[in-house]
Amino acid sequence: MPYTPFLISDFQTGKDIGKEPWLLTIDAFPTLINAQVNKGVLEKRKGYSLFAQMKHGAVAQTTTIMGIFTHLRKGLPTLLICDTKRVNKYNPVDATMTDIASSDIFTGSDKDFFHSANWLSNCYFTNNVNRIQKYDGVTLTTPDFPIDSSTSPNQVNTCRFIFVKSDRMLLFDTVESGTWYPNRCRYSGVLVNDFVEGGYTDAPTDERIVAAGWVGKDIGVWFENSFWKLKTYGETNLPFKWEKVTSTDGCLSPYAAAELKDGIATIGIANILYYDGFQLKDLDIPKLRDIVSEFLVANLRYNYAYHSKELR
């Protein structure tokens, strides 16, 4: 059989659903099933297998997974997995799960995802419905977070996001003593989880916090119709300050902020947005149709963004 040259290059057309399949150009394709385009190459999507089984006590469950995160203690990682009611610890030796909650401690729905941060050898995590939980590697507890000299042992009912910045623990979108502060960042004292020694800073906007993630050394925070950065200010009485990036591009999905190598991306009002630390713009994906217009707005809270390092 004679040699026939064949060009190997990126797709110029990609997905095209406006024509019958027999009218498509050679590098176009209709809706794919179990396939993807990776770095310009069309390939079969990898399959999947059972990783482990969520348990309530000793009983295996088929509940919805709402959070997967890692507890780090002295450099040793432990994988924690939450559903809508409990939290399990994964054992990599025998690929089994252990219920470390022993009873139902969460009451969130299947759109109340978890957010976590490791702080002072403990893992803190929240679903923005119930009180913040703490895991120290052995015991799961519900810590108290007083914020002033009140006699109440706990004054932080819940929060949406937890970060650690400049040796302080930060809570975003908090409910304090029954009052919701949708634009607040509450911070602890230095190297302690005592919020009496800390304080708070409210973003100068009446919008609510929707999504957040790291952008370099700053925390990028999307509101309903704007985007801000929380920066370290350097003063003891005012360690952080808000800096507005734009007042025209907001976010619709609370957990759709994906932290990338050089920036952060999320689902905007009209497009996929990307911020590189200097400029906020529509994510430039050639030949990509306007997928945001195809989203069901009622289901946007169910979106969860994840950066797959296999598809960089």
Side-chain angles (χ1 to χ4, degrees):
M1 182 176 180
Y3 171 76
T4 302
F6 183 80
L7 176 63
I8 300 176
S9 63
D10 289 349
F11 284 98
Q12 296 299 312
T13 304
K15 183 174 181 178
D16 190 341
I17 57 176
K19 301 177 182 177
E20 294 294 331
W22 58 275
L23 289 174
L24 297 178
T25 59
I26 191 171
D27 64 346
F29 48 83
T31 301
L32 298 177
I33 299 176
N34 293 325
Q36 62 192 12
V37 177
N38 181 15
K39 301 175 183 176
V41 178
L42 183 63
E43 65 182 17
K44 182 178 180 180
R45 190 185 302 275
K46 296 179 180 180
Y48 63 90
S49 60
L50 181 65
F51 180 75
Q53 193 77 42
M54 191 79 184
K55 292 181 179 179
H56 290 182
V59 180
Q61 303 291 314
T62 57
T63 51
T64 304
I65 301 301
M66 302 306 298
I68 302 176
F69 41 89
T70 301
H71 169 227
L72 288 175
R73 185 179 180 87
K74 298 181 179 180
L76 299 177
T78 299
L79 188 66
L80 301 178
I81 303 175
C82 295
D83 62 10
T84 57
K85 296 181 178 181
R86 302 195 186 189
V87 55
N88 280 196
K89 177 177 67 174
Y90 176 69
N91 186 341
V93 176
D94 56 7
T96 60
M97 306 273 274
T98 302
D99 183 2
I100 61 174
S102 71
S103 64
D104 294 350
I105 57 174
F106 305 122
T107 59
S109 69
D110 59 355
K111 58 180 177 289
D112 297 309
F113 295 98
F114 284 81
H115 194 264
S116 69
N118 286 287
W119 175 236
L120 301 177
S121 298
N122 299 309
C123 181
Y124 294 87
F125 51 99
T126 177
N127 65 349
N128 197 36
V129 176
N130 305 108
R131 285 181 57 181
I132 299 169
Q133 297 294 307
K134 181 181 78 170
Y135 182 65
D136 62 6
V138 178
T139 306
L140 181 70
T141 58
T142 305
D144 289 331
F145 291 109
I147 60 178
D148 55 33
S149 57
S150 169
T151 57
S152 175
N154 179 71
Q155 294 167 283
V156 177
N157 305 112
T158 191
C159 70
R160 184 177 296 278
F161 301 111
I162 306 174
F163 287 88
V164 173
K165 178 175 172 60
S166 301
D167 293 329
R168 298 175 186 263
M169 186 178 182
L170 278 60
L171 310 179
F172 288 85
D173 186 4
T174 60
V175 178
E176 302 172 5
S177 300
T179 302
W180 179 34
Y181 297 94
N183 61 339
R184 174 162 295 183
C185 170
R186 167 76 60 180
Y187 53 87
S188 71
V190 176
L191 293 176
V192 295
N193 60 2
D194 186 348
F195 286 82
V196 176
E197 297 183 17
Y200 67 88
T201 174
D202 291 340
T205 174
D206 290 329
E207 300 173 32
R208 58 170 293 197
I209 294 171
V210 178
W214 286 103
V215 183
K217 295 181 180 180
D218 301 324
I219 299 175
V221 182
W222 260 286
F223 290 74
E224 296 165 294
N225 296 292
S226 60
F227 179 67
W228 300 67
K229 287 192 298 185
L230 188 77
K231 302 175 67 71
T232 299
Y233 195 54
E235 293 190 9
T236 303
N237 295 330
L238 186 62
F240 305 105
K241 69 175 181 177
W242 292 95
E243 179 181 295
K244 184 166 67 174
V245 177
T246 178
S247 57
T248 58
D249 292 297
C251 176
L252 297 176
S253 187
Y255 300 94
E259 298 173 353
L260 307 177
K261 179 180 179 181
D262 299 315
I264 185 173
T266 194
I267 300 174
I269 297 174
N271 208 334
I272 305 297
L273 301 175
Y274 177 73
Y275 180 67
D276 60 4
F278 302 96
Q279 182 180 9
L280 181 66
K281 55 187 177 181
D282 293 345
L283 191 61
D284 184 17
I285 305 179
K287 309 299 179 181
L288 179 67
R289 68 193 190 284
D290 187 8
I291 61 173
V292 174
S293 65
E294 301 179 15
F295 286 173
L296 294 176
V297 176
N299 292 336
L300 279 176
R301 284 201 63 188
Y302 293 90
N303 287 316
Y304 192 95
Y306 169 71
H307 177 208
S308 176
K309 295 179 175 59
E310 296 179 353
L311 300 178
R312 288 179 295 180

